[in-house]
Amino acid sequence: MRPSKARTYYLGLCLTYHDPALAIVGPDGGILFAEAAERRLQSKRALNAPPDDLFQTPALLHAHCADADEFVIACNWQESRPLHEHLARWLGWLSPEGILADAGRRLHAWLEPHQLYHMQAAQHHALKSRLLNLARSLRRDFPGVPVRIRGYDHHLSHAALACYGSPFETAACAVIDSYGETGSMAFFDYRNGRLRPVAKLEGPQSLGFYYMKLTELCGFDWLGGEEWKVMGLASYGRADAEVMGWLRDMMQVDGLRLKTGHDVFFDRLQRLESRRRHPEQAPEAAADLAHTGQLFFAETVNRLLANFHARGFSEHLALAGGCALNSVCNGQIPGGTPFRALYVPPAPADDGTALGAAWLAFREDHPGQSFEPGGLSPYLGSEIAAPDIERFARYAGLPVRHLPGDALIGSAAELLTQGKVLGWLQGKAEFGPRSLGNRSILADPRHAETGERINREVKFRERFRPYAPAILHEHGPDWFEAYQESRYMERTLRFRPEARKRVPAVVHVDGTGRLQTVKQSWNPRFHALLEAFHRLSGVPVLLNTSFNVMGKPMVHSMEDAFGVFLGSGLDALVAGDYLFTKPETLP
């Protein structure tokens, strides 16, 4: 039994072999911390890394849980594994030797056997070593404090984040990803603060696996999280009727299931292989494949969601799972399905399940407590300490000014209107994959060459990659057709024709933009900067992209930020109240 009036802290762990993460929920249910391990490690996706780092975790526990009477550790996977995985292990398919020999049965799945078995093996090892670091830290620093451990269904953890973090009192919740315990999709009815499973897909068919295969065929690396590149490239292509026919032969929607075309699957897969981009070809050679593949993805998702809506659970949709990162598809859901409202959390992929699991544990212990719906703040991660910023101000050997309050906002806005590209570090880091005004690179969107320059000299990435417009909410309807709030940069909308010429650096080739809605109540300092830029330029939009270079996560420390600042074409760095510039940058 839990002690009465005990101060219980809930530690949520994403134990997936990719995108591990840690979340801390306090005794009152408030979120104290949530962050993916990749940020601390500066290793994209933190593959095969534990979420409970031996050095960071004790510091977090002392900072947030020093008065703990009890801990509950909530994991995003159930401890038991499915029978087919045990069988594969027993047969040696999940061993290095088995993977090297390409052992194992060929499944009607989009990925090769060695890829599937590597994923299963990596997940097995992640769960086998679960909590080892955390157990040591708790035993040393909190001796005698009771610890309870729980494991939750993977898709339920996704759904908890989407529904508990949403502004909805009722919702139909769809989880679509690569794989959970036994399948790739699950559907829930959310009402009265409770999640009720209503359907799930079992077996190897998966929209997540499909998009991984599409990424691979386009010449990119899905293990490194390069599905983004397919979405960006898709706008440059045209529909290929032959490829669309093959895809429809291979996978069809049947109610809330995905049905495999068993008789033709491998034949069509071989035909798709004939369209694979060769390494010596430019990415644009795969534009038609990317475009057609994205069309098929959105068509399939919309059919599933229309069938889900027909069950009559709610007019509101909460969407989670890795496939909910497809912002192009998300932007089409309100118009392409019967749902009237859409919510996608800031971290819909596996890192978000750390917080989902922690919330499930908290609500399990507080069954009679009522919870008000509300929008989840994405600013839940680490904060760079003021002494770290001051140390760089003292020793960096660069021009630096201390500009508290409005003075900093005015100076930063002036630099932006002069065409300077700024690194922008403020407050707590964003939880999830998108920069939302706290770990951002910012620029004036009024000149097309600005985006080209950032791709070439700052991010060092392909020229077809688009940039996001951050826009003041009150101006959204004037700039976008069928405007929708996009708090987490989670959906792509179409610019109004008259607006496109005004901000070409953030308008994609197809006339769209993956926008971030900015409100004063959500991020006061970023909102103030946008307002100042608007007053100077007449444009309520800034180019906003993640503060990183291609292949790296968003910066985590001042050392990371200065590495990008000095090693790229950034003109200035704003960290807290300090403005750092390079000698050649005009004041």
Side-chain angles (χ1 to χ4, degrees), residues 106-169:
R106 184 68 188 269
L107 302 174
H108 285 81
W110 295 92
L111 301 182
E112 298 296 324
H114 74 273
Q115 295 172 320
L116 292 170
Y117 294 131
H118 170 264
M119 293 167 65
Q120 287 186 17
Q123 189 57 52
H124 166 74
H125 286 292
L127 296 179
K128 188 176 181 181
S129 61
R130 70 178 194 146
L131 313 184
L132 283 177
N133 293 341
L134 187 55
R136 183 184 188 278
S137 299
L138 290 173
R139 174 62 184 82
R140 181 191 66 189
D141 298 338
F142 296 86
V145 175
V147 177
R148 293 181 289 148
I149 301 171
R150 301 175 190 166
Y152 293 96
D153 176 83
H154 184 66
H155 286 153
L156 181 64
S157 299
H158 274 300
L161 178 69
C163 292
Y164 299 158
S166 78
F168 304 144
E169 291 187 355

Side-chain angles (χ1 to χ4, degrees), residues 40-41 50 61 66 78-79 101 184 202 209 220 236 257 285 296 324 429 438 472 485 506 515-516 518 540 548 567:
R40 160 182 49 85
L41 297 174
L61 295 179
Q78 294 178 331
E79 189 172 2
S184 66
E202 296 186 345
F209 287 166
F220 306 126
Y236 289 83
R257 298 172 57 250
F296 176 73
N438 279 13
L472 294 170
E485 285 187 15
V506 292
L515 72 154
Q516 176 198 358
V518 181
N548 66 341

